[in-house]
mmCIF file of all heavy atoms in Angstrom:
data_model
loop_
_atom_site.group_PDB
_atom_site.id
_atom_site.type_symbol
_atom_site.label_atom_id
_atom_site.label_comp_id
_atom_site.label_asym_id
_atom_site.label_seq_id
_atom_site.Cartn_x
_atom_site.Cartn_y
_atom_site.Cartn_z
ATOM 1 N N ARG A 542 17.423 -34.347 -31.075
ATOM 2 C CA ARG A 542 17.946 -34.067 -29.735
ATOM 3 C C ARG A 542 18.788 -32.791 -29.729
ATOM 4 O O ARG A 542 18.672 -31.960 -28.844
ATOM 5 C CB ARG A 542 18.826 -35.220 -29.248
ATOM 6 C CG ARG A 542 18.053 -36.399 -28.761
ATOM 7 C CD ARG A 542 18.973 -37.563 -28.439
ATOM 8 N NE ARG A 542 18.192 -38.647 -27.861
ATOM 9 C CZ ARG A 542 17.936 -38.784 -26.570
ATOM 10 N NH1 ARG A 542 18.440 -37.936 -25.717
ATOM 11 N NH2 ARG A 542 17.193 -39.762 -26.117
ATOM 12 N N GLU A 577 27.387 -42.911 -15.459
ATOM 13 C CA GLU A 577 27.257 -43.297 -16.870
ATOM 14 C C GLU A 577 28.373 -42.671 -17.683
ATOM 15 O O GLU A 577 28.736 -43.143 -18.733
ATOM 16 C CB GLU A 577 25.892 -42.888 -17.430
ATOM 17 C CG GLU A 577 24.891 -44.019 -17.355
ATOM 18 C CD GLU A 577 23.797 -43.940 -18.402
ATOM 19 O OE1 GLU A 577 24.016 -43.355 -19.468
ATOM 20 O OE2 GLU A 577 22.716 -44.471 -18.135
ATOM 21 N N ILE A 588 27.311 -42.294 -24.440
ATOM 22 C CA ILE A 588 25.860 -42.355 -24.289
ATOM 23 C C ILE A 588 25.203 -41.387 -25.263
ATOM 24 O O ILE A 588 25.879 -40.611 -25.917
ATOM 25 C CB ILE A 588 25.423 -42.068 -22.836
ATOM 26 C CG1 ILE A 588 26.189 -40.877 -22.282
ATOM 27 C CG2 ILE A 588 25.617 -43.273 -21.950
ATOM 28 C CD1 ILE A 588 25.686 -40.398 -20.949
ATOM 29 N N LYS A 589 23.907 -41.474 -25.327
ATOM 30 C CA LYS A 589 23.184 -40.537 -26.200
ATOM 31 C C LYS A 589 23.421 -39.117 -25.710
ATOM 32 O O LYS A 589 23.717 -38.924 -24.542
ATOM 33 C CB LYS A 589 21.680 -40.812 -26.092
ATOM 34 C CG LYS A 589 21.227 -42.109 -26.639
ATOM 35 C CD LYS A 589 19.726 -42.225 -26.333
ATOM 36 C CE LYS A 589 19.246 -43.634 -26.576
ATOM 37 N NZ LYS A 589 17.894 -43.832 -26.058
ATOM 38 N N SER A 590 23.249 -38.153 -26.568
ATOM 39 C CA SER A 590 23.438 -36.781 -26.092
ATOM 40 C C SER A 590 22.279 -36.447 -25.149
ATOM 41 O O SER A 590 21.260 -35.920 -25.551
ATOM 42 C CB SER A 590 23.515 -35.777 -27.230
ATOM 43 O OG SER A 590 23.038 -36.337 -28.406
ATOM 44 N N HIS A 591 22.457 -36.849 -23.922
ATOM 45 C CA HIS A 591 21.453 -36.732 -22.871
ATOM 46 C C HIS A 591 21.313 -35.295 -22.391
ATOM 47 O O HIS A 591 22.207 -34.498 -22.568
ATOM 48 C CB HIS A 591 21.955 -37.548 -21.675
ATOM 49 C CG HIS A 591 21.190 -38.826 -21.497
ATOM 50 N ND1 HIS A 591 20.922 -39.337 -20.278
ATOM 51 C CD2 HIS A 591 20.649 -39.675 -22.394
ATOM 52 C CE1 HIS A 591 20.249 -40.463 -20.415
ATOM 53 N NE2 HIS A 591 20.079 -40.700 -21.684
ATOM 54 N N HIS A 592 20.248 -35.045 -21.709
ATOM 55 C CA HIS A 592 20.070 -33.825 -20.935
ATOM 56 C C HIS A 592 20.174 -32.550 -21.761
ATOM 57 O O HIS A 592 21.167 -32.284 -22.390
ATOM 58 C CB HIS A 592 21.043 -33.759 -19.761
ATOM 59 C CG HIS A 592 20.935 -34.958 -18.908
ATOM 60 N ND1 HIS A 592 19.824 -35.206 -18.166
ATOM 61 C CD2 HIS A 592 21.759 -35.998 -18.753
ATOM 62 C CE1 HIS A 592 19.985 -36.359 -17.554
ATOM 63 N NE2 HIS A 592 21.142 -36.867 -17.891
ATOM 64 N N ASN A 593 19.110 -31.797 -21.643
ATOM 65 C CA ASN A 593 19.030 -30.647 -22.536
ATOM 66 C C ASN A 593 19.693 -29.381 -22.016
ATOM 67 O O ASN A 593 19.703 -28.378 -22.691
ATOM 68 C CB ASN A 593 17.564 -30.379 -22.874
ATOM 69 C CG ASN A 593 16.698 -30.571 -21.656
ATOM 70 O OD1 ASN A 593 17.207 -30.471 -20.535
ATOM 71 N ND2 ASN A 593 15.427 -30.842 -21.845
ATOM 72 N N LYS A 614 17.823 -42.603 -7.613
ATOM 73 C CA LYS A 614 16.467 -42.104 -7.843
ATOM 74 C C LYS A 614 15.532 -42.369 -6.651
ATOM 75 O O LYS A 614 14.800 -41.490 -6.225
ATOM 76 C CB LYS A 614 15.923 -42.809 -9.079
ATOM 77 C CG LYS A 614 14.699 -42.197 -9.630
ATOM 78 C CD LYS A 614 15.110 -41.178 -10.630
ATOM 79 C CE LYS A 614 14.104 -40.685 -11.544
ATOM 80 N NZ LYS A 614 14.717 -39.771 -12.520
ATOM 81 N N PRO A 635 10.485 -41.358 -14.931
ATOM 82 C CA PRO A 635 11.440 -40.502 -15.638
ATOM 83 C C PRO A 635 10.892 -40.111 -17.009
ATOM 84 O O PRO A 635 10.177 -40.893 -17.639
ATOM 85 C CB PRO A 635 12.670 -41.401 -15.813
ATOM 86 C CG PRO A 635 12.526 -42.466 -14.795
ATOM 87 C CD PRO A 635 11.056 -42.662 -14.579
ATOM 88 N N PHE A 636 11.191 -38.917 -17.418
ATOM 89 C CA PHE A 636 10.726 -38.426 -18.721
ATOM 90 C C PHE A 636 11.903 -37.723 -19.383
ATOM 91 O O PHE A 636 12.526 -36.860 -18.767
ATOM 92 C CB PHE A 636 9.552 -37.461 -18.505
ATOM 93 C CG PHE A 636 8.897 -37.016 -19.780
ATOM 94 C CD1 PHE A 636 8.216 -37.941 -20.583
ATOM 95 C CD2 PHE A 636 8.949 -35.697 -20.180
ATOM 96 C CE1 PHE A 636 7.607 -37.526 -21.752
ATOM 97 C CE2 PHE A 636 8.335 -35.281 -21.357
ATOM 98 C CZ PHE A 636 7.658 -36.197 -22.148
ATOM 99 N N PRO A 637 12.240 -38.088 -20.608
ATOM 100 C CA PRO A 637 13.457 -37.530 -21.217
ATOM 101 C C PRO A 637 13.345 -36.040 -21.514
ATOM 102 O O PRO A 637 12.249 -35.562 -21.836
ATOM 103 C CB PRO A 637 13.608 -38.336 -22.511
ATOM 104 C CG PRO A 637 12.236 -38.834 -22.807
ATOM 105 C CD PRO A 637 11.543 -39.027 -21.499
ATOM 106 N N GLY A 638 14.448 -35.348 -21.412
ATOM 107 C CA GLY A 638 14.484 -33.916 -21.736
ATOM 108 C C GLY A 638 13.857 -33.615 -23.097
ATOM 109 O O GLY A 638 13.028 -32.700 -23.195
ATOM 110 N N PRO A 639 14.196 -34.359 -24.160
ATOM 111 C CA PRO A 639 13.606 -34.062 -25.473
ATOM 112 C C PRO A 639 12.145 -34.481 -25.576
ATOM 113 O O PRO A 639 11.518 -34.339 -26.631
ATOM 114 C CB PRO A 639 14.470 -34.867 -26.450
ATOM 115 C CG PRO A 639 15.656 -35.324 -25.683
ATOM 116 C CD PRO A 639 15.263 -35.379 -24.250
ATOM 117 N N GLY A 640 11.604 -35.004 -24.494
ATOM 118 C CA GLY A 640 10.163 -35.246 -24.410
ATOM 119 C C GLY A 640 9.629 -36.187 -25.466
ATOM 120 O O GLY A 640 10.281 -37.135 -25.902
ATOM 121 N N VAL A 643 11.277 -37.791 -28.887
ATOM 122 C CA VAL A 643 12.013 -39.046 -29.104
ATOM 123 C C VAL A 643 11.090 -40.257 -28.990
ATOM 124 O O VAL A 643 11.539 -41.398 -29.001
ATOM 125 C CB VAL A 643 13.229 -39.176 -28.162
ATOM 126 C CG1 VAL A 643 14.301 -38.169 -28.529
ATOM 127 C CG2 VAL A 643 12.845 -39.045 -26.692
ATOM 128 N N ARG A 644 9.781 -39.982 -28.888
ATOM 129 C CA ARG A 644 8.812 -41.088 -28.889
ATOM 130 C C ARG A 644 7.917 -41.024 -30.116
ATOM 131 O O ARG A 644 6.955 -41.777 -30.227
ATOM 132 C CB ARG A 644 7.972 -41.052 -27.610
ATOM 133 C CG ARG A 644 8.838 -41.302 -26.386
ATOM 134 C CD ARG A 644 8.061 -41.264 -25.114
ATOM 135 N NE ARG A 644 8.937 -41.485 -23.980
ATOM 136 C CZ ARG A 644 8.565 -41.350 -22.720
ATOM 137 N NH1 ARG A 644 7.315 -41.003 -22.445
ATOM 138 N NH2 ARG A 644 9.419 -41.561 -21.748
ATOM 139 N N TRP A 678 9.509 -48.923 -13.932
ATOM 140 C CA TRP A 678 10.391 -47.761 -14.005
ATOM 141 C C TRP A 678 9.773 -46.731 -14.946
ATOM 142 O O TRP A 678 9.715 -45.551 -14.640
ATOM 143 C CB TRP A 678 11.760 -48.233 -14.520
ATOM 144 C CG TRP A 678 12.736 -47.164 -14.863
ATOM 145 C CD1 TRP A 678 12.999 -46.667 -16.120
ATOM 146 C CD2 TRP A 678 13.595 -46.462 -13.960
ATOM 147 N NE1 TRP A 678 13.982 -45.712 -16.041
ATOM 148 C CE2 TRP A 678 14.365 -45.566 -14.737
ATOM 149 C CE3 TRP A 678 13.792 -46.513 -12.576
ATOM 150 C CZ2 TRP A 678 15.314 -44.722 -14.176
ATOM 151 C CZ3 TRP A 678 14.748 -45.670 -12.024
ATOM 152 C CH2 TRP A 678 15.493 -44.791 -12.820
ATOM 153 N N GLN A 679 9.318 -47.229 -16.099
ATOM 154 C CA GLN A 679 8.650 -46.349 -17.063
ATOM 155 C C GLN A 679 7.593 -47.111 -17.844
ATOM 156 O O GLN A 679 7.720 -48.321 -18.038
ATOM 157 C CB GLN A 679 9.682 -45.802 -18.060
ATOM 158 C CG GLN A 679 10.292 -44.489 -17.649
ATOM 159 C CD GLN A 679 11.457 -44.103 -18.545
ATOM 160 O OE1 GLN A 679 12.420 -44.834 -18.641
ATOM 161 N NE2 GLN A 679 11.356 -42.966 -19.200
ATOM 162 N N PHE A 681 5.030 -46.114 -21.302
ATOM 163 C CA PHE A 681 4.619 -45.030 -22.204
ATOM 164 C C PHE A 681 4.287 -45.569 -23.586
ATOM 165 O O PHE A 681 4.484 -46.759 -23.864
ATOM 166 C CB PHE A 681 5.713 -43.964 -22.280
ATOM 167 C CG PHE A 681 7.090 -44.479 -22.664
ATOM 168 C CD1 PHE A 681 7.452 -44.617 -23.994
ATOM 169 C CD2 PHE A 681 8.023 -44.808 -21.682
ATOM 170 C CE1 PHE A 681 8.719 -45.068 -24.347
ATOM 171 C CE2 PHE A 681 9.300 -45.265 -22.020
ATOM 172 C CZ PHE A 681 9.647 -45.396 -23.365
ATOM 173 N N ASP A 712 17.713 -48.327 -12.098
ATOM 174 C CA ASP A 712 18.405 -47.054 -12.316
ATOM 175 C C ASP A 712 18.388 -46.599 -13.772
ATOM 176 O O ASP A 712 19.038 -45.618 -14.117
ATOM 177 C CB ASP A 712 19.856 -47.158 -11.821
ATOM 178 C CG ASP A 712 20.542 -48.401 -12.362
ATOM 179 O OD1 ASP A 712 20.112 -48.874 -13.430
ATOM 180 O OD2 ASP A 712 21.480 -48.889 -11.729
ATOM 181 N N GLY A 713 17.707 -47.323 -14.624
ATOM 182 C CA GLY A 713 17.633 -46.914 -16.027
ATOM 183 C C GLY A 713 18.830 -47.344 -16.858
ATOM 184 O O GLY A 713 18.831 -47.203 -18.076
ATOM 185 N N MET A 714 19.863 -47.890 -16.193
ATOM 186 C CA MET A 714 21.047 -48.274 -16.961
ATOM 187 C C MET A 714 20.869 -49.638 -17.621
ATOM 188 O O MET A 714 21.392 -49.890 -18.688
ATOM 189 C CB MET A 714 22.278 -48.255 -16.066
ATOM 190 C CG MET A 714 22.676 -46.834 -15.715
ATOM 191 S SD MET A 714 24.304 -46.730 -15.053
ATOM 192 C CE MET A 714 23.996 -47.238 -13.395
ATOM 193 N N LYS A 750 16.975 -53.866 -22.030
ATOM 194 C CA LYS A 750 18.152 -53.007 -22.216
ATOM 195 C C LYS A 750 19.298 -53.585 -21.393
ATOM 196 O O LYS A 750 19.143 -53.710 -20.180
ATOM 197 C CB LYS A 750 17.850 -51.600 -21.723
ATOM 198 C CG LYS A 750 19.101 -50.695 -21.725
ATOM 199 C CD LYS A 750 18.836 -49.319 -21.167
ATOM 200 C CE LYS A 750 20.109 -48.502 -21.190
ATOM 201 N NZ LYS A 750 19.928 -47.139 -20.723
ATOM 202 N N GLY A 753 18.433 -53.339 -26.258
ATOM 203 C CA GLY A 753 17.660 -52.153 -26.660
ATOM 204 C C GLY A 753 17.953 -51.007 -25.713
ATOM 205 O O GLY A 753 18.692 -51.173 -24.730
ATOM 206 N N THR A 754 17.425 -49.838 -25.990
ATOM 207 C CA THR A 754 17.433 -48.767 -24.993
ATOM 208 C C THR A 754 15.985 -48.619 -24.535
ATOM 209 O O THR A 754 15.092 -49.234 -25.117
ATOM 210 C CB THR A 754 17.939 -47.428 -25.570
ATOM 211 O OG1 THR A 754 17.255 -47.184 -26.797
ATOM 212 C CG2 THR A 754 19.431 -47.463 -25.801
ATOM 213 N N ILE A 755 15.780 -47.837 -23.490
ATOM 214 C CA ILE A 755 14.408 -47.695 -23.001
ATOM 215 C C ILE A 755 13.604 -46.856 -23.982
ATOM 216 O O ILE A 755 12.549 -47.256 -24.453
ATOM 217 C CB ILE A 755 14.406 -47.072 -21.588
ATOM 218 C CG1 ILE A 755 15.112 -48.024 -20.611
ATOM 219 C CG2 ILE A 755 12.961 -46.807 -21.143
ATOM 220 C CD1 ILE A 755 15.266 -47.500 -19.201
ATOM 221 N N GLU A 756 14.123 -45.691 -24.311
ATOM 222 C CA GLU A 756 13.462 -44.851 -25.314
ATOM 223 C C GLU A 756 13.758 -45.443 -26.697
ATOM 224 O O GLU A 756 14.758 -46.136 -26.878
ATOM 225 C CB GLU A 756 14.006 -43.413 -25.247
ATOM 226 C CG GLU A 756 13.865 -42.745 -23.889
ATOM 227 C CD GLU A 756 12.419 -42.443 -23.505
ATOM 228 O OE1 GLU A 756 11.554 -42.468 -24.397
ATOM 229 O OE2 GLU A 756 12.171 -42.189 -22.313
ATOM 230 N N TRP A 757 12.908 -45.127 -27.643
ATOM 231 C CA TRP A 757 13.120 -45.675 -28.989
ATOM 232 C C TRP A 757 14.115 -44.843 -29.794
ATOM 233 O O TRP A 757 14.594 -45.257 -30.832
ATOM 234 C CB TRP A 757 11.788 -45.775 -29.726
ATOM 235 C CG TRP A 757 11.051 -47.052 -29.413
ATOM 236 C CD1 TRP A 757 10.903 -47.628 -28.189
ATOM 237 C CD2 TRP A 757 10.394 -47.919 -30.344
ATOM 238 N NE1 TRP A 757 10.198 -48.790 -28.289
ATOM 239 C CE2 TRP A 757 9.854 -48.992 -29.604
ATOM 240 C CE3 TRP A 757 10.188 -47.890 -31.724
ATOM 241 C CZ2 TRP A 757 9.140 -50.023 -30.209
ATOM 242 C CZ3 TRP A 757 9.462 -48.911 -32.319
ATOM 243 C CH2 TRP A 757 8.952 -49.969 -31.562
ATOM 244 N N GLU A 758 14.364 -43.620 -29.378
ATOM 245 C CA GLU A 758 15.320 -42.801 -30.135
ATOM 246 C C GLU A 758 16.338 -42.197 -29.200
ATOM 247 O O GLU A 758 16.002 -41.894 -28.055
ATOM 248 C CB GLU A 758 14.586 -41.672 -30.863
ATOM 249 C CG GLU A 758 13.805 -42.148 -32.062
ATOM 250 C CD GLU A 758 13.394 -40.984 -32.969
ATOM 251 O OE1 GLU A 758 13.344 -39.839 -32.491
ATOM 252 O OE2 GLU A 758 13.141 -41.245 -34.152
HETATM 253 P P1 LIG B 296 17.747 -44.930 -22.647
HETATM 254 O O1 LIG B 296 16.756 -44.681 -23.735
HETATM 255 O O2 LIG B 296 19.110 -44.401 -22.965
HETATM 256 O O3 LIG B 296 17.236 -44.108 -21.393
HETATM 257 O O4 LIG B 296 17.789 -46.384 -22.243
HETATM 258 C C1 LIG B 296 17.683 -44.290 -20.092
HETATM 259 C C2 LIG B 296 16.876 -43.380 -19.199
HETATM 260 O O5 LIG B 296 17.186 -42.020 -19.481
HETATM 261 C C3 LIG B 296 16.040 -41.325 -19.929
HETATM 262 N N1 LIG B 296 16.476 -40.452 -21.029
HETATM 263 C C4 LIG B 296 16.733 -39.140 -20.904
HETATM 264 N N2 LIG B 296 16.646 -38.318 -19.845
HETATM 265 N N3 LIG B 296 17.352 -36.503 -21.174
HETATM 266 C C5 LIG B 296 16.943 -36.997 -19.990
HETATM 267 O O6 LIG B 296 16.854 -36.229 -19.029
HETATM 268 C C6 LIG B 296 17.478 -37.262 -22.287
HETATM 269 O O7 LIG B 296 17.870 -36.796 -23.344
HETATM 270 C C7 LIG B 296 17.139 -38.653 -22.141
HETATM 271 N N4 LIG B 296 17.141 -39.716 -22.999
HETATM 272 C C8 LIG B 296 16.723 -40.796 -22.291
HETATM 273 C C9 LIG B 296 15.053 -42.398 -20.374
HETATM 274 O O8 LIG B 296 13.716 -41.942 -20.305
HETATM 275 C C10 LIG B 296 15.374 -43.504 -19.412
HETATM 276 O O9 LIG B 296 14.757 -43.326 -18.161
#
Side-chain angles (χ1 to χ4, degrees):
R542 282 174 175 271
E577 265 207 26
I588 44 171
K589 293 176 193 169
S590 16
H591 253 215
H592 305 292
N593 40 23
K614 194 90 165 184
F636 187 66
V643 291
R644 295 179 181 172
W678 171 262
Q679 268 171 301
F681 54 86
D712 49 25
M714 289 195 281
K750 173 183 179 177
T754 48
I755 296 176
E756 303 292 344
W757 275 43
E758 286 195 338

